[in-house]
Amino acid sequence: MPEDFIQTVELRKTYNMGETEVHALDGLTLSIPSGSFTVIMGPSGSGKSTLLYLVGGLDWPTSGNIIVAGLEIGSLDENALADYRRNKVGFIFQSFNLIANMSAEANVAFPLRFAGVKKKNRIDRAEQLMDEVGLKDRIGHKPTELSGGQQQRVAVARALVNDPPLILADEPTGNLDSTSGQVIMSMLDELCKAGKTILVASHDPRMLTYATHRIYLMDGKMVDEKQYLDSISISS
């Protein structure tokens, strides 16, 4: 039985909006197994992206604990946290977050600069990954010269460049047409089968086809599938 790769305990994230407190996450306790494809579903504002950012070390909780691969994220200093983000986590964002004036290959290779990898090795690794995502013939193209689906495949390659065990994807099909979205979902599925732990925040119900585990969030709390589906039917 797979061991837990991610655990959160009474996780809370509160934002102050003027005089109003917004509880993006409200006492969330959960466990995610190693090697799983876990899909987080929930309406806008439910806390999906907040959870990904906290697990990825891009933001800090108001209270509670996050443990990833045995590391208590909140106890890490800045250097250890940077090392965690660099070596343990690959990020895929809805808006791709590619650097506009860099080629696709340079975008993929860019994180390796911070790992102290030599230029030739960076290029070799980027070329390998561009080939794996089916874009070897687009290595020299800049993001503006690529379709949305191609940009997201470059983003997947960049997320893999340091060979992290955890892939975090925030609405990875949100800006894509249905065909390109299907390609990205299939790629994430293959990564899971290769041993990566995949955590995806999504509105796309097709993503559930690939899920080994599902988390439903509403108002920063975990709910069951019926509560989630009931909320959708009421809002529609």
Side-chain angles (χ1 to χ4, degrees):
M1 191 171 185
E3 62 181 12
D4 289 336
F5 190 76
I6 300 169
Q7 294 176 295
T8 72
V9 181
E10 286 295 317
L11 191 62
R12 299 179 190 276
K13 181 63 180 181
T14 303
Y15 297 97
N16 292 314
M17 309 289 286
E19 296 182 359
T20 303
E21 283 192 343
V22 177
H23 302 286
L25 291 177
D26 193 6
L28 187 66
T29 297
L30 56 80
S31 297
I32 295 173
S34 176
S36 63
F37 191 131
T38 301
V39 177
I40 312 167
M41 301 289 288
S44 296
S46 61
K48 301 188 304 298
S49 295
T50 299
L51 177 58
L52 286 190
Y53 278 57
L54 292 177
V55 170
L58 295 176
D59 200 358
W60 289 264
T62 303
S63 63
N65 297 315
I66 310 168
I67 302 168
V68 181
L71 292 173
E72 210 294 287
I73 305 304
S75 68
L76 301 179
D77 62 26
E78 286 293 338
N79 289 334
L81 193 60
D83 184 68
Y84 164 75
R85 288 192 297 259
R86 182 169 58 245
N87 297 313
K88 301 292 186 183
V89 187
F91 295 95
I92 304 169
F93 301 96
Q94 178 178 350
S95 57
F96 319 133
N97 285 11
L98 300 177
I99 301 171
N101 63 353
M102 284 187 177
S103 68
E105 179 185 67
N107 268 281
V108 173
F110 189 65
L112 293 176
R113 291 187 181 185
F114 302 101
V117 176
K118 293 181 179 180
K119 184 175 181 180
K120 182 183 184 305
N121 293 338
R122 296 199 303 264
I123 292 172
D124 288 345
R125 176 67 173 156
E127 288 182 355
Q128 173 197 345
L129 287 168
M130 288 290 287
D131 189 22
E132 289 181 9
V133 301
L135 291 175
K136 190 173 183 179
D137 60 339
R138 295 289 189 271
I139 280 177
H141 289 59
K142 293 182 178 178
T144 54
E145 300 169 325
L146 301 172
S147 68
Q150 289 171 335
Q151 289 185 64
Q152 195 61 297
R153 280 191 276 165
V154 173
V156 170
R158 181 185 58 191
L160 295 172
V161 74
N162 281 319
D163 196 25
L166 174 62
I167 302 295
L168 302 177
D170 190 10
E171 299 286 0
T173 64
N175 285 339
L176 304 180
D177 60 70
S178 59
T179 301
S180 297
Q182 192 66 58
V183 169
I184 296 302
M185 286 185 277
S186 296
M187 290 178 66
L188 291 173
D189 184 49
E190 289 301 317
L191 290 171
C192 179
K193 290 175 179 175
K196 304 290 185 186
T197 301
I198 311 294
L199 183 58
V200 181
S202 181
H203 283 101
D204 193 335
R206 297 177 301 165
M207 197 72 75
L208 294 175
T209 304
Y210 301 94
T212 61
H213 295 74
R214 303 177 182 187
I215 294 171
Y216 298 95
L217 292 183
M218 287 180 58
D219 300 322
K221 296 181 178 181
M222 195 155 51
V223 299
D224 61 32
E225 185 176 16
K226 184 179 184 304
Q227 289 174 289
Y228 169 69
L229 293 176
D230 285 348
S231 74
I232 292 177
S233 63
I234 292 172
S235 63
S236 59

